[in-house]
Amino acid sequence: MTSEEFGEAAYRVVEELWRDEDNPTYQAASRLFADGLSRHDVIHRLAGTPAPTVGSSVIR
Amino acid sequence: MSKKNKARRRAPASPARAAQAKASQVRTSQPASGQDGDISPAEADAFVQEVLTSLWEGVASGDPLRAELETATCMAFPYVLGQRDPADVESFIATVLVNGAVRRRTPDGAALLRLLMTLGTQATRRAASRALAELTGEGIYPPEWVTEIGKAAPGQAWRRYDVFGDDEAIAVTFSYGEAEHGIVVQVDLAGIPVATTIGVSSNAAKLIEAISANNEEFDRSEQISLAEARVRMLRPLDRAGRDESPKLSPSSIAYLPVARSRVRRLPEGDGGPRTVYTAADRAAAVEEFMASPEAAEAVAADEASTRFWAEVLTGYSGRIPGEPPDQVGPRKLAHILLGHVPNTVVLTPAQRGHLEPAVTAWIRWSAARRELGEAGTAVLLEQLPRVLSRFGEAYDDPDAVAIRGYASGLATSAADVSWLSDSVGRRMFALPIPEQHPRWTWRTRPTGTAWWRRSSASARRPPA
């Protein structure tokens, strides 16, 4: 996945989270969040790329 | 943002908070020194020594209640120093108390571990349990009396509340054998119910006498079942002491683990059904108001805006299933008009212009419906101008304007407040307000959802 593709995927995840609670993205995010993942890691995971251990993501 | 850079929190400053002071009519023993959490390093050192000395004396005393209180006081130590991050508090308990207990390699050390297993969080319980297994594996066992810890038998429960519905205090007696004691928990009902003051008294009779006394004009008291006491205290105690909740005094934070432990001893399920109010009940209340004599003038001037405000005021009760739709008190009025509305509702000029007549009418109707009498009605009406004088500032606050954006397309006057709160929290998780936002305040935060808690560590309390 290129950085551009990841950016688009992350944007899509954020948009779905914003929209409503009745979508699979939100349900998955809820589970990951309940497992203790940070917002940064949740979005990385849902966008298809594991979060780097150190970084300065613009979506942190 | 680093933990060290977290904004320090100040005590609640709303004028309406004054009503809360009556909560502490019950005198309780003081487990820890200090009042505001800001102490010098020298004072902290002295405090640590004093607390640890008292801890081991308490553990050695063989008195379960005293041992619990001393242990809970130690567990509160990070909080007294201003540390509210749960991970750091756990770290302190694991490092200082669990490891300290193991290092002693004595029955008293084992007793402390057993105490931590009763009073601690799940993580603390696990750590203490592992450590106790290590000691018992070496043949070091806690003394016999330790088996009684946390097994206090519940006695009776009382509720003291104000007629406006802003606050309530629940007191429950317990006994270790013949020795009685009591816990008392003050609950702030103006927002999402949260315990704001917690006490433990070794004199249960005096506690009940104090809480059941009818010596305040707007206070009432009643004996309640132990199961109802559990329902009224459980969630408010869960929320107490968390990062986004009102700051507790050092003594309250020290009593918190004991109170939580006691509440778990209360029975579930025999408290009888509490009335649950639905959206239909709230809609019916709005219709009743609109047809009432109190509403006539406001309705004649602007029916749509009057209905809008009636829906907002009744809708706010939807955050608590057992709250009647017509209930409002001086502090809740401030919560609604200076917090809930500015954070969630976009007003038309007509609605904004009709705020005062509509809310005045609604308050008169509410007071009459609840039979608050002249004096009670006067208390509510006296609060209204104070709140209204701050409404413009609250509504036009840039933070409130930003937060209203999160409720865009969701917030109608009849929207379910709990759902709205969750939805705003979800959107804030999706797209947080930048942390460098200059004036993020407690007043303008939405509500205490899990999403909100985890995504807004920089929330602060309002300025005085």
Side-chain angles (χ1 to χ4, degrees):
Chain A
M1 181 180 266
T2 65
S3 59
E4 286 77 15
E5 287 169 336
F6 171 73
E8 283 178 20
Y11 184 86
R12 193 172 58 250
V13 167
V14 168
E15 210 174 20
E16 286 171 4
L17 288 174
W18 175 278
R19 199 186 313 135
D20 60 62
E21 67 270 37
D22 296 326
N23 66 66
T25 302
Y26 176 72
Q27 309 299 340
S30 295
R31 284 193 296 274
L32 294 170
F33 196 70
D35 287 344
L37 266 67
S38 68
R39 174 184 180 277
H40 179 165
D41 291 350
V42 167
I43 291 174
H44 260 281
R45 188 78 69 87
L46 294 175
T49 305
T53 50
V54 179
S56 56
S57 167
V58 293
I59 59 166
R60 180 180 289 277
Chain B
M1 185 174 67
S2 78
K3 291 162 190 166
K4 286 181 182 174
N5 288 335
K6 275 185 184 173
R8 294 188 71 82
R9 285 159 180 77
R10 285 169 285 198
S14 160
R17 279 271 179 210
Q20 228 176 348
K22 68 179 179 298
S24 304
Q25 291 167 348
V26 176
R27 286 186 178 277
T28 56
S29 55
Q30 295 296 312
S33 60
Q35 284 302 311
D36 60 5
D38 296 321
I39 62 177
S40 70
E43 286 173 322
D45 285 345
F47 177 68
V48 170
Q49 287 311 316
E50 184 187 323
V51 165
L52 288 176
T53 301
S54 295
L55 170 65
W56 292 115
E57 286 175 0
V59 171
S61 71
D63 175 344
L65 178 61
R66 183 180 167 194
E68 284 177 300
L69 292 177
E70 296 293 358
T71 304
T73 299
C74 275
M75 292 165 65
F77 184 59
Y79 193 95
V80 174
L81 291 179
Q83 179 55 261
R84 298 185 73 178
D85 187 307
D88 290 337
V89 174
E90 293 289 352
S91 172
F92 167 85
I93 292 172
T95 306
V96 176
L97 299 180
V98 175
N99 294 349
V102 172
R103 278 196 300 274
R104 288 175 83 92
R105 293 198 137 61
T106 63
D108 284 352
L112 175 58
L113 294 171
R114 182 66 185 76
L115 283 155
L116 291 170
M117 287 166 61
T118 302
L119 300 174
T121 62
Q122 210 167 8
T124 297
R125 283 182 229 164
R126 274 199 301 268
S129 176
R130 279 196 300 269
L132 184 59
E134 182 185 330
L135 288 188
T136 55
E138 295 175 12
I140 302 166
Y141 294 92
E144 191 65 29
W145 64 268
V146 166
T147 58
E148 291 305 308
I149 287 172
K151 295 179 183 168
Q156 55 177 312
W158 284 77
R159 171 180 179 243
R160 186 182 182 91
Y161 58 97
D162 74 77
V163 295
F164 304 108
D166 280 349
D167 296 285
E168 66 181 11
I170 311 296
V172 185
T173 63
F174 291 87
S175 56
Y176 275 125
E178 297 295 308
E180 269 200 319
H181 62 276
I183 64 166
V184 60
V185 176
Q186 175 76 16
V187 180
D188 178 354
L189 299 168
I192 302 293
V194 61
T196 51
T197 306
I198 300 145
V200 175
S201 172
S202 56
N203 190 335
K206 210 166 185 177
L207 176 66
I208 297 304
E209 184 185 326
I211 203 154
S212 60
N214 288 313
N215 52 6
E216 294 286 337
E217 184 178 8
F218 299 115
D219 280 4
R220 304 285 182 271
S221 61
E222 60 182 0
Q223 187 163 11
I224 58 175
S225 71
L226 294 171
E228 183 177 347
R230 179 190 174 102
V231 170
R232 290 186 179 278
M233 289 192 290
L234 190 64
R235 296 305 305 277
L237 281 171
D238 278 349
R239 297 185 188 107
R242 286 186 179 172
D243 202 46
E244 79 291 354
S245 63
K247 186 175 180 180
L248 296 173
S249 70
S251 49
S252 284
I253 201 74
Y255 289 132
L256 182 56
V258 178
R260 283 176 173 157
S261 169
R262 292 294 183 274
V263 168
R264 292 197 295 268
R265 298 288 297 166
L266 297 174
E268 293 181 78
D270 71 348
R274 288 177 68 190
T275 307
V276 172
Y277 296 94
T278 64
D281 294 319
R282 291 188 279 280
V286 169
E287 294 308 324
E288 186 183 325
F289 162 72
M290 293 296 286
S292 71
E294 289 88 355
E297 198 174 322
V299 168
D302 184 340
E303 182 174 350
S305 295
T306 303
R307 177 179 294 279
F308 168 85
W309 284 111
E311 286 175 347
V312 168
L313 290 162
T314 53
Y316 188 72
S317 67
R319 77 203 183 289
I320 304 174
E323 183 166 297
D326 61 359
Q327 187 166 288
V328 71
R331 289 198 309 104
K332 199 171 295 168
L333 189 64
H335 267 256
I336 296 171
L337 296 183
L338 302 179
H340 172 61
V341 170
N343 285 338
T344 55
V345 185
V346 178
L347 299 174
T348 66
Q351 288 162 348
R352 191 164 174 173
H354 204 56
L355 168 62
E356 182 171 356
V359 175
T360 303
W362 194 88
I363 283 177
R364 287 188 185 283
W365 168 79
S366 162
R369 196 170 190 256
R370 290 184 290 156
E371 300 178 345
L372 291 182
E374 270 184 42
T377 307
V379 168
L380 286 175
L381 290 174
E382 283 163 14
Q383 169 74 339
L384 185 57
R386 287 195 287 266
V387 173
L388 290 178
S389 70
R390 296 169 59 199
F391 180 80
E393 184 193 354
Y395 188 79
D396 296 331
D397 187 300
D399 290 331
V401 174
I403 294 170
R404 281 202 295 276
Y406 286 88
S408 171
L410 303 175
T412 62
S413 54
D416 181 289
V417 174
S418 300
W419 169 81
L420 190 59
S421 164
D422 286 345
S423 299
V424 169
R426 171 173 49 77
R427 287 181 166 188
M428 283 190 158
F429 178 79
L431 200 63
I433 287 183
E435 289 191 355
Q436 63 269 32
H437 196 285
R439 293 176 60 243
W440 187 246
T441 66
W442 171 264
R443 175 171 53 73
T444 56
R445 95 209 202 287
T447 46
T449 64
W451 292 98
W452 162 257
R453 279 197 293 276
R454 294 280 296 273
S455 59
S456 60
S458 58
R460 286 175 293 171
R461 291 191 165 281

